[in-house]
């Protein structure tokens, strides 16, 4: 069964707009929440990650918002650029475990 | 090498044939993973290696799938008697961190795209 549910499946945003991708999980034992970015023909690459002791983490135009009580976290892409067009995967992990469980992915298309 | 290398990048085979997919992880990475990515699907965990041992094979879909790792480095995923539903991108990843040591950053290869006709 899927450990993390991701939505939407796809989204289209205009250049300069904000892209928002949401993920929800059930198991409160998870304590590491990364986002991976995948371009066509490439493997996924770590984009940004957060631990539950903070509610937000920002790296450049990418921000993770984390709501521990709701068991949800989201990725915000500010000032979206055509080069951000990719598939984004959220994932969850318990720190004493090894197996990242991934969401189904969101394909983001940024129109110029 | 600088990254995770996978071969072949593309493989087209006939139903019933056996295929081998190879993964060269980043030098020094003790953990190695195989994931499968089907069209429109997320990444499905297949197997995890720590060194040459595979403590978790729980994701292998059937006994037609097997994997091994030698010398704590190269890994081979073998699919016997391929079926059309095996068509997917098979991704290999490696990691430096052992479980419990903190964030587990996986570095993925570009994948091997398998098409079973």
């Amino acid at each position: 069964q899927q450990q993390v549910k991701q939505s939407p499946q796809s989204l289209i945003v205009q250049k300069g707009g904000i892209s928002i991708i949401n993920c929800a999980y059930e198991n409160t034992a998870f304590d590491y929440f990364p986002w991976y970015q995948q371009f066509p023909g490439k493997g996924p690459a770590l984009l940004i990650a957060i631990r539950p002791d903070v509610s937000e983490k920002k790296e450049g135009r990418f921000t993770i918002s984390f709501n521990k009580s709701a068991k949800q976290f989201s990725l915000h892409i500010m000032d979206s650029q055509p080069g951000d067009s990719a598939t984004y995967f959220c994932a969850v992990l318990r720190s004493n475990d090894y197996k990242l469980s991934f969401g189904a992915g969101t394909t983001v298309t940024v129109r110029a | 090498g600088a990254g995770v290398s996978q071969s072949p990048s593309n493989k087209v085979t006939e139903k019933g044939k056996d295929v081998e997919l190879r993964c060269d992880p980043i030098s020094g990475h003790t953990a190695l993973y195989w994931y499968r990515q089907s069209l429109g699907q997320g990444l499905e965990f297949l197997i995890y290696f720590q060194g040459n041992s595979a403590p978790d094979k729980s994701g292998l879909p059937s006994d037609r799938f097997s994997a091994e790792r030698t010398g704590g480095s190269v890994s081979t995923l073998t699919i016997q008697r391929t079926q059309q539903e095996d068509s997917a991108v098979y991704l290999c990843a490696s990691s430096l961190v052992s479980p419990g040591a903190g964030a587990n950053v996986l570095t993925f290869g570009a994948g091997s795209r398998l098409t079973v006709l």
Side-chain angles (χ1 to χ4, degrees):
Chain A
Q1 88 234 31
Q2 206 155 35
Q3 300 288 333
V4 57
K5 295 183 179 179
Q6 182 172 348
S7 63
Q9 187 174 21
S10 64
L11 68 91
I12 299 173
V13 63
Q14 292 296 123
K15 179 181 176 182
I18 302 173
S19 304
I20 301 175
I21 307 168
N22 300 298
C23 285
Y25 62 97
E26 286 298 323
N27 189 341
T28 56
F30 294 130
D31 58 3
Y32 177 63
F33 305 89
W35 286 88
Y36 280 73
Q37 179 188 54
Q38 183 180 32
F39 294 106
K42 304 290 187 183
L46 179 66
L47 180 64
I48 186 172
I50 197 168
R51 290 200 176 274
D53 53 344
V54 295
S55 60
E56 185 175 282
K57 183 173 182 180
K58 184 176 181 179
E59 289 185 3
R61 295 183 294 105
F62 299 90
T63 299
I64 300 178
S65 296
F66 184 79
N67 187 329
K68 188 174 181 179
S69 60
K71 292 183 285 186
Q72 295 176 349
F73 59 109
S74 60
L75 177 70
H76 296 232
I77 308 173
M78 314 300 286
D79 186 26
S80 297
Q81 300 297 310
D84 297 332
S85 296
T87 299
Y88 294 82
F89 295 94
C90 63
V92 292
L93 177 74
R94 290 177 299 170
S95 59
N96 63 350
D97 200 355
Y98 50 81
K99 183 164 54 180
L100 273 174
S101 296
F102 289 86
T106 298
T107 301
V108 174
T109 303
V110 182
R111 298 231 192 271
Chain B
V4 178
S5 178
Q6 292 189 246
S7 62
S9 55
N10 277 287
K11 177 72 175 179
V12 180
T13 191
E14 293 180 347
K15 178 182 173 181
K17 300 283 189 182
D18 297 352
V19 297
E20 284 189 352
L21 307 177
R22 177 188 168 104
C23 173
D24 276 284
I26 292 174
S27 178
H29 280 195
T30 57
L32 185 147
Y33 307 76
W34 284 96
Y35 281 82
R36 179 167 71 174
Q37 184 174 22
S38 302
L39 188 63
Q41 303 289 318
L43 282 72
E44 175 190 6
F45 170 82
L46 297 179
I47 188 170
Y48 157 70
F49 286 93
Q50 183 63 37
N52 291 335
S53 300
D56 188 351
K57 305 178 183 179
S58 64
L60 294 177
S62 74
D63 58 8
R64 296 186 296 104
F65 287 72
S66 63
E68 65 174 11
R69 189 179 185 194
T70 56
S73 180
V74 172
S75 177
T76 302
L77 177 69
T78 301
I79 309 173
Q80 295 179 309
R81 305 181 302 282
T82 53
Q83 303 294 312
Q84 288 183 333
E85 61 262 29
D86 298 336
S87 296
V89 176
Y90 290 83
L91 291 162
C92 175
S94 68
S95 169
L96 180 61
V97 176
S98 298
N104 193 14
V105 179
L106 271 60
T107 301
F108 283 88
S112 291
R113 180 177 296 278
L114 175 65
T115 303
V116 183
L117 302 177

